[in-house]
Amino acid sequence: QSVTIKVTMRDGFIYDGISVGNALVNKNGQRVTTSKTYTFENVSNETKVYVNTSMTVVYHTGEGKTSNGSDTKEVTFSLVGYHNPRTLEENGYFTRDGYTLVEYNTKEDRTGTPVSLGSRVDAEGKPSLDLWCVWQKNTDSSLFKYKNTSGGVEIAGYTGNEEVICIPEKMGGKAVVSIAGGAFNNADMKKVIIAKSVTSVASGAFRNCKNLETVVVFDGEFGA
């Protein structure tokens, strides 16, 4: 016998075609058509059919820019397997001079849900999701003591009293690659954002930081 399937999409969702077999398209399934109407000939007793769909995630850079200089970046997320999209990790997609991207938020004024870079976010069953970049101003490099080391510089001390410390990726024109033991000894900050260039933090780097509540690190090689 033959069976005809007609697909009707909900408004805004993206149609990625029909696949058959034991898996969906992005799980090695075979796409048989991109048309919304398809007829299966000589159907066996059991034929698995999958309708593949996607949604759109729109990133707003605020005061920053995308890597190509625009204010927004649209990313298509396949809903095959997962209904909530994985966000973009920190990989140079968005830039802002003198600032570090620390997270996303579901509202422009930051009163929405905070979303860690690279984590999943609840799409609430919608075909499109807007996320806004949240930036933190880098701490002035003059407040740090640092020394040359293999591959860049190492932070050896801190002389400021800021509540939030955002370690810049470069100091003196060189990459910040490590933090020495005792570098932030007795500092009063509540939050530290460690630059993604840092790959090593020595034991005792934040010794006696009694007010420290949050430490932000990024995906990548990181030793302690």
Side-chain angles (χ1 to χ4, degrees):
Q1 60 180 328
S2 64
V3 175
T4 298
I5 290 180
K6 294 182 179 180
V7 177
T8 301
M9 294 294 296
R10 290 167 55 190
D11 290 344
F13 285 94
I14 301 169
Y15 176 60
D16 293 327
I18 292 174
S19 60
V20 297
N22 295 320
L24 301 161
V25 168
N26 71 348
K27 300 292 184 181
N28 299 318
Q30 180 182 3
R31 182 185 283 113
V32 294
T33 184
T34 57
S35 171
K36 292 182 180 178
T37 301
Y38 186 76
T39 299
F40 293 85
E41 303 289 352
N42 301 319
V43 177
S44 62
N45 289 337
E46 181 178 331
T47 299
K48 294 182 179 179
V49 180
Y50 301 91
V51 176
N52 299 274
T53 59
S54 296
M55 63 172 294
T56 302
V57 181
V58 182
Y59 295 87
H60 302 266
T61 62
E63 298 298 322
K65 295 290 183 182
T66 67
S67 56
N68 64 5
S70 62
D71 296 327
T72 60
K73 181 180 180 67
E74 291 191 10
V75 178
T76 300
F77 176 79
S78 173
L79 295 172
V80 174
Y82 294 96
H83 293 284
N84 293 322
R86 183 182 299 281
T87 58
L88 295 175
E89 69 278 11
E90 167 45 57
N91 195 25
Y93 297 109
F94 311 111
T95 60
R96 183 182 178 186
D97 290 342
Y99 287 77
T100 295
L101 177 64
V102 293
E103 64 184 10
Y104 306 114
N105 199 285
T106 56
K107 291 187 178 181
E108 186 175 6
D109 61 3
R110 301 187 187 183
T111 61
T113 302
V115 182
S116 299
L117 307 182
S119 67
R120 293 194 181 277
V121 58
D122 186 359
E124 299 179 354
K126 299 176 182 178
S128 182
L129 176 68
D130 289 281
L131 294 175
W132 281 266
C133 293
V134 177
W135 302 94
Q136 176 64 48
K137 184 175 177 58
N138 294 337
T139 301
D140 195 311
S141 60
S142 65
L143 297 178
F144 298 96
K145 297 179 181 179
Y146 56 92
K147 59 183 179 181
N148 291 329
T149 189
S150 177
V153 297
E154 178 179 71
I155 296 177
Y158 171 70
T159 61
N161 57 4
E162 297 180 336
E163 191 172 274
V164 177
I165 296 176
C166 186
I167 299 174
E169 292 187 31
K170 289 187 176 182
M171 293 184 189
K174 296 182 179 181
V176 179
V177 296
S178 60
I179 301 175
F184 293 92
N185 192 33
N186 295 316
D188 291 330
M189 70 286 190
K190 290 185 176 181
K191 182 176 182 179
V192 174
I193 301 164
I194 299 179
K196 66 177 181 178
S197 58
V198 174
T199 58
S200 177
V201 177
S203 177
F206 298 97
R207 186 183 298 114
N208 296 325
C209 296
K210 298 179 180 180
N211 295 321
L212 183 58
E213 300 173 348
T214 304
V215 177
V216 178
V217 297
F218 298 97
D219 290 343
E221 296 182 4
F222 188 81

